[in-house]
Amino acid sequence: MPPSVEVRPRDARGYPVPAITPWDGDQPQFALTDYERSANCARGRLCSVCNALMPRGPVWRVVGASESAAISDALAAGRPYRNLAPTLEGPGHRACMLYASMVCPYLARPNARRGTSARTPDDMTAHVVRGAVRGSMGAVVGFADYEFAVAATQVAFRFIDVVEFLPHDVADAHIDELRAELDARDRPGQAR
Ligand SMILES: [Zn+2]
């Protein structure tokens, strides 16, 4: 577990609660995204998992099967990928997203993903991925940059220029990558 996630509040079972998760009393609502918390992360460039500052440079997020296939397709064709449909899921640190992709059922399993995407990107991109190679259940993806809009009722994110693409077929696919990332953070100048 990344150190910044380790210090997050826990639910009754001991699971760390992401920064953007709303609470109902002492019950975190893992399936939902909190508007104020999400806006706070967006405005402060804070990680949506651990709530700590993301340094200048790339940011990461977890994408589901359809978007993973669309990105894979774009990379293979040598054309840029942009999620033209905004998403309500904000970015985070590489280690946090690697961790979340393996632990958070709403991120790790496409059928369990939040049903809150602003324009249901999975539907919007369905025509793009038709015929694309399937099999990946999602991916951890690094983007060069992102932009956001805090609207009256929701916070939407758009991501620009894929810089890293790590598809996963099984929930623990990124354990070695995460270990290496956490080890690298222990060395000065390597943290990201
Ligand atoms: Zn983080």
Side-chain angles (χ1 to χ4, degrees):
M1 190 183 293
S4 61
V5 174
E6 189 129 30
V7 298
R8 291 295 306 159
R10 306 291 179 98
D11 74 355
R13 302 162 303 170
Y15 284 89
V17 180
I20 45 77
T21 299
W23 291 73
D24 182 5
D26 60 356
Q27 294 290 319
Q29 310 295 302
F30 286 106
L32 303 175
T33 298
D34 183 81
Y35 169 78
E36 284 297 339
R37 291 167 186 272
S38 188
N40 190 51
C41 283
R43 292 190 178 109
R45 197 181 167 85
L46 306 179
C47 173
S48 60
V49 175
C50 76
N51 212 37
L53 183 71
M54 295 182 293
R56 190 187 295 263
V59 297
W60 280 262
R61 60 183 285 253
V62 183
V63 303
S66 297
E67 198 170 353
S68 176
I71 293 170
S72 174
D73 212 29
L75 292 176
R79 54 185 164 74
Y81 172 81
R82 295 185 178 213
N83 73 321
L84 297 177
T87 172
L88 300 189
E89 292 169 2
H93 298 107
R94 188 173 187 272
C96 290
M97 288 298 164
L98 288 169
Y99 177 78
S101 77
M102 292 183 283
V103 173
C104 177
Y106 294 98
L107 292 172
R109 293 201 300 271
N111 291 338
R113 281 173 64 76
R114 296 181 175 87
T116 51
S117 294
R119 297 273 186 276
T120 53
D122 281 0
D123 291 340
M124 294 288 284
T125 54
H127 68 285
V128 175
V129 302
R130 197 168 295 138
V133 176
R134 309 278 180 150
S136 166
M137 52 187 271
V140 176
V141 185
F143 295 88
D145 204 356
Y146 72 102
E147 52 195 26
F148 66 89
V150 179
T153 58
Q154 63 183 22
V155 183
F157 297 87
R158 210 190 291 269
F159 295 86
I160 300 156
D161 292 341
V162 174
V163 296
E164 185 174 37
F165 178 61
L166 300 168
H168 43 256
D169 297 320
V170 291
D172 63 350
H174 298 314
I175 190 70
D176 291 339
E177 199 73 44
L178 175 57
R179 285 209 179 97
E181 174 74 26
L182 294 176
D183 288 346
R185 286 176 158 207
D186 294 336
R187 295 194 295 274
Q190 293 292 310
R192 50 180 172 175

